[in-house]
Amino acid sequence: MVDKLIAPYGGTLVNLIDPAKAAALRQEALSLPSLDLDWRQQCELEMLMTGAYSPLAGFMTRAQCERVETARQLDDGTFWPVPITLGSRQQAAAGLKPGDRVALRDGEGFMLAVLTVSDAWEAHDEWHLGGAIDGVALPPHPDFVSLRATPAELRTLFARRGWRRVVAWQARQPMHRAQFEFCLKCGIENEANLLLHPQVGGDITEAPAYFGLVRSFLAIRERFPAATTQLSLLPAAPREGSARALLLRAIVARNYGCSLLIAGGEHQIDGDCRRGEDLTRTHSDLPVAELAERVGVRLIAYPRMVYVEDRAEYLPESEVPCGARLLTLSGDEFRRRMRAGLKIPDWYSFPEVIAELHRQSPPRERQGFTVFFTGLSGAGKSTLARALAARLMEMGGRCVTLLDGDIVRRHLSSELGFSRAHRDINVRRIGFVASEITKNRGIAICAPIAPYRQTRRDVRHMIEAVGGFVEIHVSTPIETCETRDRKGLYAKARAGLIPEFTGVSDPYEVPEQPELAIDTTGLGIDEAVQQILLKLEHEGYLR
Ligand SMILES: Nc1ncnc2c1ncn2[C@@H]1O[C@H](COP(=O)(O)OS(=O)(=O)O)[C@@H](OP(=O)(O)O)[C@H]1O
Ligand SMILES: Nc1ncnc2c1ncn2[C@@H]1O[C@H](COP(=O)(O)OP(=O)(O)O)[C@@H](O)[C@H]1O
């Protein structure tokens, strides 16, 4: 049995923040240029400053990157698998040269560190900066404060609890029973403690699923023996699942005090469980296990785990008795059931974990969505939007917001006209408000002309990230609209009294793939609304 926690990679744990110097650095930064880091760069900086990337003490220079790419070595010959770099497209980065100092800030201007530039080069339309870091403060994380710990803090905690051999589970995905059982088994077989280290680096405003992930870990933590298991958040940004990235994770695990790392075991988008063997052997161009040994961390390949019904337990496939009845659920089937709100069997995942995932992304009928009408003036957008809102409110149980053109132009866009630029601003504002409503699980109904394809596409992307988006092209031809001419605008436009009038003297780009197209010529309003309701029902938005 080992008698001490594994030493950090390179021997000493790096800590780039000296609180005694912070005030002086902040003062100096008043006269320094600044770079704003995006969330990914902030993650990398945090990993450097806390020593998770020990022995690195800054971003790599070009020569160091090349050496890592070709020989996988740092200057002193230490093995290192991936370049750690800082690239920026900001103007402030362009003029920097070796010897310059630059303040690194988060998107809000909060100061994180000062970088002393030792190399600056241009590649892929970006300025790359290498150099040493003087840390001022870690990026602020207002969420899950009690679950955050630096490598030094975790090491102190482990030492206090008498932990000497720790196995890490670094995951970007929720843990189900197969992974749970395997982690338990690893702990027992290796006489090791377990660090559950979900990888949570990301932009929380863009990826709200992160909260559900962490809550699902809080739920499953209760299933592990409390005395031997620790849950903490790893502020690392996602990387592709390559062998090199795995080796970097091994270094990170070591710096956090772990001498064992479980490799693989997460569900992939393509539906199958990624197996440790895939990473350590089959798909690798590197002798991964050997290199991991140089890092000092033993990789434990996650095998294919199957549920053996007769024994009511999970086993690695290789240990399954001959002829045993097995149960499996593919990743695709799991996601289909989650989307539809169907039951997930208890043998697959713990009910409290599923409950957290459901809370985070409820089935479609409880998600927010936006119905986005687009079409010419007089096509019937407002009429249909109002009638649809009324029908949805009549059904009850959902909050419906109508963002009709008139309302928006009065309250949000009163200063705007009808130039292309102004129409774009108008439609993007509508999209932003609708995305907030959708994110908070309401129904937004929008009815602008929205004549430009690209703008509509951008709005769709923004909203689809947080819920549903249903585009309805009210495709009533201009002849009908002009005959209706409810407000007399077409007559005025033809007479040249209104410039830039959509369909007359301004373009309307027809939607290519709307969820629904409705020509209201000779169609009753009720019939049209019925078509929309059927569509919403069919897509799963309505019960
Ligand atoms: N030049 C010009 N072109 C088109 N429409 C005009 C114009 N000038 C005023 N109006 C009136 O404004 C309404 C369209 O505003 P929107 O906010 O929906 O337009 S846009 O999406 O920003 O293009 C539109 O209302 P609807 O008839 O309800 O579509 C018109 O009544
Ligand atoms: N099936 C239908 N759907 C919507 N509007 C219709 C329909 N049939 C006739 N109309 C009439 O067409 C006009 C559409 O005007 P409006 O809804 O203000 O259009 P928009 O908002 O697209 O400018 C209204 O006078 C409405 O009564």
Side-chain angles (χ1 to χ4, degrees), residues 368-435:
F369 64 92
T370 291
V371 180
F372 192 94
F373 290 96
T374 164
L376 298 172
S377 171
K381 303 181 298 297
S382 308
T383 307
L384 293 180
R386 248 178 284 125
L388 176 65
R391 290 301 303 276
L392 291 171
M393 290 195 256
E394 178 190 313
M395 290 177 192
R398 304 292 300 255
C399 299
V400 183
T401 305
L402 185 59
L403 293 167
D404 196 12
D406 305 347
I407 305 170
V408 173
R409 286 225 168 233
R410 188 158 5 109
H411 293 289
L412 283 180
S413 295
S414 55
E415 84 285 19
L416 300 181
F418 290 90
S419 64
R420 173 165 191 155
H422 277 194
R423 287 180 197 261
D424 273 357
I425 297 173
N426 180 43
V427 174
R428 282 177 208 279
R429 283 179 188 167
I430 295 172
F432 172 72
V433 176
S435 76

Side-chain angles (χ1 to χ4, degrees), residues 172-329:
R172 298 203 66 80
Q173 305 211 5
M175 188 179 234
H176 300 297
R177 277 203 53 192
Q179 293 92 350
F180 169 81
E181 303 288 351
F182 188 72
C183 283
L184 271 186
K185 186 171 134 70
C186 279
I188 293 165
E189 283 177 3
N190 293 288
E191 292 179 50
N193 293 93
L194 176 65
L195 172 63
L196 297 176
H197 220 185
Q199 216 183 312
V200 297
D203 183 346
I204 57 172
T205 52
E206 278 181 21
Y210 145 81
F211 291 98
L213 174 74
V214 179
R215 281 201 308 265
S216 77
F217 269 94
L218 281 167
I220 206 165
R221 175 180 66 176
E222 303 303 317
R223 296 269 178 172
F224 284 100
T228 55
T229 309
Q230 180 67 36
L231 171 64
S232 185
L233 304 185
L234 175 61
R239 278 175 201 275
E240 82 293 359
S242 68
R244 282 168 180 253
L246 173 63
L247 289 161
L248 182 65
R249 293 206 281 125
I251 292 176
V252 169
R254 174 164 176 175
N255 285 325
Y256 278 97
C258 305
S259 50
L260 300 147
L261 172 68
I262 300 174
E266 290 199 64
H267 288 279
Q268 294 299 291
I269 308 302
D270 61 16
D272 260 329
C273 218
R274 188 174 67 193
R275 291 151 65 179
E277 285 102 335
D278 297 342
L279 283 167
T280 50
R281 283 185 233 133
T282 331
H283 295 316
S284 179
D285 53 337
L286 295 175
V288 176
E290 217 172 280
L291 290 169
E293 243 166 67
R294 279 179 64 187
V295 171
V297 170
R298 184 151 71 76
L299 295 181
I300 304 175
Y302 182 88
R304 185 170 146 79
M305 296 286 281
V306 286
Y307 187 73
V308 185
E309 199 183 20
D310 327 324
R311 297 179 41 163
E313 66 174 344
Y314 270 95
L315 287 176
E317 201 173 32
S318 58
E319 295 174 22
V320 173
C322 227
R325 242 173 72 86
L326 307 178
L327 296 179
T328 51
L329 188 71

